[in-house]
Amino acid sequence: MRPGHYDAFASDYATDNERNLVNSFYERPAMLELLGDVLGEQVLDAGCGAGPLAAELTSRGATVAGFDASSEMIAIARRRLGDAADLQVAQLGRQLPYPDGCFDRVAASLVLHYLEDWGPALTELRRVLKPGGRLVVSVHHPIIYRLMFPERDYFATGQWTSTSTFNGTEAELTYWHRPLHAMTDAFAETGFSTVTVAEPPFAADTPTELIPPHLVDRTAFLSFIFFVLER
């Protein structure tokens, strides 16, 4: 994924992200639940996009910093948050503009799966965490790759591309699949302990019109997998 790839459709992505099922009523509520009580905490939103998670963390009493590789996303986030959060353009996997051990918690929301190699990104996120600090991660559930590409090797790290529509705008996004054991191996190799692996339900207050007909008798679906890691 090129650093500025989202720039061309940042506004439409941000609009769609605010109201859709997968982001607004599934992934974001799960991340907030796993991050827990952030009152008075220093929290980094890694790959913050247009800032919806950062805004919610701020409203819950956290002191928030965030970065994203897209300058257009950061511009939208700055309009949303003003001076309430320290927002910068930076790229996950490279050196981050923060001192060692300055955050109590880090949220990496739907961002690691853009990277082929998780090692440098995880190492840098661990560096900026305080001892005992927690990193909460969400990525594509690896079973999705198997369902989408049954002919491919689930156990191999591989690139895949899909076209999504955001507020009427089509965009092609490229991701990296890795099997579950490769995810947990990467966490361990960079010094993290895995505290929680979660496959959460969607939010109880999800508007019924957003729930597809085949899910109306369920409370959960497969899309992402979540990890709570400790430094």
Side-chain angles (χ1 to χ4, degrees):
M1 184 66 63
R2 302 185 308 276
H5 183 73
Y6 270 81
D7 287 353
F9 54 94
S11 179
D12 286 319
Y13 179 88
T15 299
D16 189 80
N17 187 278
E18 292 291 335
R19 64 191 185 198
N20 67 29
L21 169 64
V22 172
N23 295 106
S24 188
F25 292 95
Y26 168 57
E27 193 273 342
R28 198 151 51 248
M31 287 293 289
L32 290 165
E33 177 71 20
L34 293 170
L35 284 162
D37 183 4
V38 295
L39 181 64
E41 301 280 87
Q42 302 283 332
V43 182
L44 175 64
D45 187 356
C48 65
L53 181 63
E56 184 60 36
L57 291 168
T58 300
S59 75
R60 297 183 180 202
T63 299
V64 177
F67 71 87
D68 199 274
S70 167
S71 60
E72 289 298 319
M73 286 290 196
I74 289 295
I76 296 169
R78 285 174 177 159
R79 290 195 293 272
R80 175 201 297 265
L81 287 155
D83 296 330
D86 172 20
L87 300 169
Q88 302 189 48
V89 177
Q91 190 171 348
L92 190 64
R94 298 185 179 177
Q95 185 171 359
L96 298 175
Y98 312 107
D100 295 355
C102 62
F103 294 106
D104 300 292
R105 306 181 199 198
V106 174
S109 175
L110 303 180
V111 64
L112 280 175
H113 51 214
Y114 291 114
L115 304 178
E116 179 180 10
D117 182 3
W118 286 10
L122 290 171
T123 297
E124 189 65 357
L125 293 178
R126 187 176 186 276
R127 178 187 68 78
V128 302
L129 267 173
K130 297 176 181 178
R134 290 194 169 189
L135 167 62
V136 181
V137 171
S138 62
V139 292
H140 287 125
H141 199 299
I143 196 63
I144 299 300
Y145 181 80
R146 177 64 177 166
L147 294 173
M148 291 179 65
F149 307 104
E151 74 284 0
R152 298 190 188 180
D153 182 3
Y154 165 85
F155 294 100
T157 297
Q159 195 175 55
W160 63 282
T161 299
S162 70
T163 299
S164 299
T165 301
F166 304 110
N167 197 37
T169 297
E170 284 194 350
E172 189 175 85
L173 300 176
T174 298
Y175 311 100
W176 285 90
H177 160 79
R178 52 188 24 81
L180 181 58
H181 78 270
M183 296 180 187
T184 56
D185 286 351
F187 301 147
E189 288 164 5
T190 49
F192 283 103
S193 299
T194 300
V195 176
T196 301
V197 180
E199 297 170 312
F202 51 85
D205 63 348
T206 302
T208 55
E209 64 268 20
L210 292 182
I211 302 174
H214 68 283
L215 293 178
V216 294
D217 61 342
R218 305 184 190 182
T219 59
F221 56 86
L222 282 171
S223 184
F224 306 128
I225 190 167
F226 299 75
F227 302 90
V228 179
L229 313 171
E230 191 169 276
R231 185 188 190 282

